Amino acid sequence: MTINFHSAKKFRNLDFVEFTPHLEMNVIYGENGQGKTNIIESIWMMTGFYSFRARKNVQLIQQGSEEAEIETLFYSHQREQNAVMKINKRKEIELNGVREESPRVMMGKFYAVVFSPNTLGIVQDGPSERRKMLDIALSLIKPNYAVVMSRYLRVLDQRNALLKKYAEKKFDLMYFDPWDEELASLGAKIIKYRLDYIEKLCELSAEIYKGISSGREEFSFYYDFSKENLSETEIKEKLKENIMKSRDADFKRLYTNAGPHTDDIVLNLNGKDARIFGSQGQQRSCALALKLGEASIIEKVTGECPVVLLDDVMSELDEGRQTFILNYLDNWQVFITCCDPSTLLRSKKGKAFEVRDGKISEME
């Protein structure tokens, strides 16, 4: 997949920008606060997911404006396609001239992987960041995963509401049985998706990390529900057992404590918890290995190379690690933001764009 043209109007500090990117390397540079990350963010919005920086639409619209608009011409699934997104109180998407119900229609059509300073949260923050990484990655390659997850979250909300009613009225516990059954059934599908995905991701990311660290360190991880390769039926039975065991805790906290919404990925570096024992540089390398592994899986599963968005990544890496990453991404379409482009402009192929005051200019 490649982007052939991109524009953003009234998006954050971007009054109006448009550019024709190179099919491989694109270096977007300029001083801090000029709008480099906003361009990367506007590209990411076309995946159909939330921004990687904000949840509210109003934060994405230029101050004083009522609406932002993003347009992208991209080549995917063996044809050129056009997508236009308008952001006001809600997000509206038009794909190939047809108004769609939701931007989520772009899942499975527009592939991208983003690494930004916030991505370090995958390693440094709590389990929710790692679950979010899994949910986005799986939704890109398995759109049905997002459907199952949406159904699971609805059942979870309904069961949590039942817990609150039980606290007030103390009715028969049999009322929980159908909700527990449905929660276990949907939860098993989610966990099976995750276990299968993590098996592939672990192998790829470990190899990538070995390259980033020049073979000096070993990176591994596992999903904390189980290290075993279980069938969906076995997962469902184990999950039902966990839900039953946690009922007393659920009644006290008025919240469902067992299920894929509470699971985690345990990241290890040289056999130790990377979150606790990894240095800032090692944690950054772990997160990079995970995202590059994610990009590789998208290519293997879909046959489409995702657009790779690297926001303020290279400045924190030494020349050897930069070289490995650039070589790994050879022949992919990449957008890299930085303040000083000198080290990245070693590449003979590609384009450089300067961003200043929310405007973009292609440089020689």
Side-chain angles (χ1 to χ4, degrees):
M1 195 199 101
T2 55
I3 294 173
N4 299 327
F5 170 83
H6 185 77
S7 70
K9 181 179 180 182
K10 306 298 183 184
F11 184 84
R12 293 202 184 259
N13 81 323
L14 307 176
D15 189 53
F16 179 71
V17 300
E18 61 177 5
F19 65 106
T20 302
H22 192 271
L23 295 181
E24 295 184 28
M25 178 64 68
N26 296 276
V27 178
I28 301 172
Y29 70 93
E31 296 180 3
N32 290 329
Q34 301 304 301
K36 304 186 300 294
T37 298
N38 297 342
I39 292 172
I40 293 289
E41 183 182 24
S42 70
I43 295 173
W44 170 256
M45 295 301 299
M46 284 303 186
T47 60
F49 292 99
Y50 287 104
S51 161
F52 57 86
R53 303 162 72 198
R55 296 283 287 189
K56 296 181 179 179
N57 289 349
V58 68
Q59 295 172 285
L60 305 175
I61 303 170
Q62 189 179 74
Q63 193 170 10
S65 300
E66 295 183 356
E67 183 177 81
E69 181 177 298
I70 307 165
E71 180 174 5
T72 301
L73 289 175
F74 63 101
Y75 188 85
S76 177
H77 298 291
Q78 300 183 328
R79 66 185 181 121
E80 188 169 73
Q81 305 192 59
N82 172 257
V84 179
M85 177 181 288
K86 293 184 179 181
I87 306 171
N88 36 64
K89 290 182 179 178
R90 61 193 296 269
K91 297 184 186 75
E92 301 171 357
I93 191 80
E94 187 177 283
L95 179 62
N96 300 323
V98 178
R99 175 82 174 273
E100 302 287 353
E101 288 186 11
S102 165
R104 297 181 84 79
V105 72
M106 297 299 288
M107 293 179 190
K109 294 183 175 66
F110 188 98
Y111 301 101
V113 170
V114 63
F115 185 101
S116 74
N118 291 341
T119 309
L120 270 173
I122 295 172
V123 182
Q124 295 177 340
D125 295 344
S128 63
E129 287 300 312
R130 291 178 282 282
R131 289 195 299 270
K132 184 166 73 174
M133 176 197 73
L134 284 179
D135 292 342
I136 290 174
L138 276 162
S139 296
L140 281 169
I141 59 173
K142 303 282 187 183
N144 188 55
Y145 177 86
V147 176
V148 175
M149 175 58 77
S150 179
R151 289 170 57 197
Y152 176 85
L153 293 175
R154 283 200 299 272
V155 174
L156 179 66
D157 285 344
Q158 289 163 337
R159 188 180 188 275
N160 288 339
L162 191 64
L163 285 168
K164 294 179 175 65
K165 289 181 180 178
Y166 178 80
E168 298 169 3
K169 299 181 180 179
K170 301 292 183 188
F171 44 76
D172 197 306
L173 291 176
M174 63 178 288
Y175 286 102
F176 283 94
D177 292 343
W179 298 109
D180 292 356
E181 179 71 21
E182 185 69 3
L183 204 67
S185 180
L186 293 169
K189 294 181 185 298
I190 292 166
I191 292 170
K192 182 59 177 172
Y193 271 123
R194 289 178 177 178
L195 287 171
D196 292 346
Y197 179 79
I198 284 175
E199 183 179 0
K200 299 183 183 75
L201 183 64
C202 188
E203 182 179 348
L204 282 166
S205 297
E207 196 61 31
I208 293 166
Y209 190 94
K210 187 182 294 184
I212 293 175
S213 68
S214 300
R216 293 189 297 268
E217 297 158 357
E218 185 177 329
F219 178 47
S220 64
F221 51 91
Y222 62 91
Y223 189 59
D224 70 352
F225 180 82
S226 175
K227 294 183 182 181
E228 303 170 17
N229 185 18
L230 303 176
S231 68
E232 187 177 316
T233 301
E234 290 171 326
I235 294 169
K236 180 180 176 180
E237 291 306 310
K238 185 174 181 179
L239 190 51
K240 281 174 68 174
E241 184 181 328
N242 291 347
I243 291 171
M244 286 299 298
K245 285 180 179 177
S246 71
R247 269 193 179 181
D248 288 343
D250 294 350
F251 295 144
K252 289 177 183 177
R253 300 176 186 175
L254 304 182
Y255 181 78
T256 304
N257 290 276
H261 62 288
T262 64
D263 290 344
D264 196 5
I265 304 172
V266 180
L267 306 175
N268 290 322
L269 197 56
N270 296 329
K272 296 182 179 179
D273 191 330
R275 182 183 177 191
I276 298 171
F277 296 100
S279 68
Q280 178 90 357
Q282 288 173 322
Q283 291 175 344
R284 179 178 292 271
S285 295
C286 289
L288 260 173
L290 286 166
K291 299 306 287 186
L292 293 178
E294 177 186 327
S296 295
I297 290 176
I298 291 173
E299 181 186 15
K300 289 178 186 294
V301 172
T302 69
E304 301 279 350
C305 293
V307 171
V308 178
L309 310 171
L310 301 178
D311 181 34
D312 193 26
V313 173
M314 295 304 193
S315 62
E316 300 293 330
L317 302 174
D318 58 39
E319 186 174 329
R321 295 180 187 232
Q322 285 189 22
T323 300
F324 172 83
I325 290 168
L326 293 176
N327 287 340
Y328 188 86
L329 295 172
D330 195 31
N331 297 321
W332 295 32
Q333 190 177 39
V334 184
F335 295 79
I336 299 178
T337 69
C338 60
C339 293
D340 178 12
S342 58
T343 56
L344 295 174
L345 295 179
R346 299 189 296 264
S347 175
K348 294 180 182 179
K349 56 187 175 183
K351 289 183 178 181
F353 301 90
E354 183 180 20
V355 178
R356 185 180 297 176
D357 293 329
K359 299 179 176 61
I360 191 169
S361 303
E362 183 177 341
M363 309 306 290
E364 294 294 331

